[in-house]
Amino acid sequence: MVAVDGPSGSGKSSVCRAAADRLRTAYLDTGAMYRAATWSCLQAGVDLTDGAAVAAHVRSVPLVMGTDPHAATTAVGDVDVTEAVRSAEVTAAVSAVASVPAVRADLVLRQRALIDAACAVPAPGRRPGVVVEGRDITTVVAPQAPVRVLLTAREDVRLARRARQDLGSADSGAVAAVRDAVVQRDLVDSRTTDFLVAADGVVTLDSSDLDFEGTVVALLGIVEHVA
Ligand code: C5P
């Protein structure tokens, strides 16, 4: 199992999905689980400042995660929310939901169950194992993972990547438009989960000066070194 944490714009999702594909394991995007829980709270009109109400609602949300790296889908029951959870509205609200301790306890248990399943019963054509990405995977969800990596990059690089990904440009206007969704969200999230500094035994992979392929190769190199 490969556990990867990191801030937004570090390239975690695309790099981890590609690494899982090349390792022929499953892939789990835990951020998508917090996003889907948030999407459901917004749909139901739950007051996001009421932690108990948020936790009670999230407990009833049937999250269905596709863990095939080629089909990393997110569903709530039979509603596919893979695209919907990427909306600006969900992005702006997700940190509040993720900061509720009872929500975290609930989702951590579900994440561990998905990890156990991927390690015990791989999908056809896949090897046992999973590449899991998030903010607390190396520290809380799976601190026993044989491979633990903090994938990071300089702030200017992360802002440019997110602007290019979301707005198709990394000019100063585009960078300003994504700043809150990157810097502010990381600041708020880092009060809940400590993903800005590598925990003991966690390898830091700085992708600032690497392209996508270089980052995937570097991550696979860390996996090989440990295996
Ligand atoms: O990775 P992504 O940006 O999709 O994550 C969305 C949000 O989910 C983060 O901003 C954070 O609030 C929350 N999250 C978390 N713990 C994780 C993964 C994500 O708190 N393991």
Side-chain angles (χ1 to χ4, degrees):
M1 174 200 169
V2 179
V4 180
D5 288 326
S8 54
S10 59
K12 271 187 317 224
S13 294
S14 43
V15 167
C16 288
R17 197 171 317 142
D21 189 34
R22 294 185 203 182
L23 292 166
R24 299 204 11 243
T25 66
Y27 160 74
L28 179 62
D29 175 359
T30 62
M33 298 175 74
Y34 286 94
R35 286 172 177 274
T38 304
W39 175 87
S40 182
C41 286
L42 292 173
Q43 291 288 308
V46 176
D47 175 2
L48 297 188
T49 63
D50 182 345
V54 169
H57 178 79
V58 170
R59 212 168 296 126
S60 72
V61 175
L63 291 177
V64 185
M65 304 305 295
T67 58
D68 181 327
H70 290 286
T73 50
T74 308
V76 172
D78 49 18
V79 181
D80 189 312
V81 295
T82 310
E83 295 300 321
V85 301
R86 301 279 144 205
S87 72
E89 200 193 0
V90 170
T91 300
V94 66
S95 300
V97 172
S99 71
V100 178
V103 167
R104 303 201 69 79
D106 175 0
L107 294 197
V108 165
L109 286 182
R110 300 197 212 191
Q111 289 156 12
R112 288 185 184 147
L114 287 164
I115 292 168
D116 288 348
C119 292
V121 190
R126 298 259 144 209
R127 297 200 180 106
V130 57
V131 179
V132 187
E133 55 126 325
R135 304 283 191 290
D136 61 347
I137 313 306
T138 63
T139 51
V140 176
V141 177
Q144 80 295 348
V147 183
R148 295 189 299 151
V149 175
L150 180 71
L151 180 58
T152 187
R154 286 192 314 269
E155 185 177 293
D156 60 316
V157 174
R158 293 188 288 112
L159 282 169
R161 281 183 189 154
R162 182 48 58 93
R164 225 173 279 120
Q165 187 184 318
D166 290 1
L167 305 170
S169 155
D171 64 19
S172 56
V175 165
V178 298
R179 181 171 283 278
D180 266 6
V182 175
V183 180
Q184 192 57 27
R185 185 155 60 97
D186 280 344
L187 185 68
V188 175
D189 285 341
S190 67
R191 293 183 194 131
T192 304
T193 51
D194 192 3
F195 57 88
L196 298 178
V197 177
D200 259 5
V202 174
V203 179
T204 298
L205 171 53
D206 187 332
S207 69
S208 302
D209 300 317
L210 297 172
D211 61 9
F212 173 73
E213 180 61 22
T215 310
V216 175
V217 168
L219 177 57
L220 293 174
I222 295 169
V223 174
E224 214 166 282
H225 183 75
V226 172

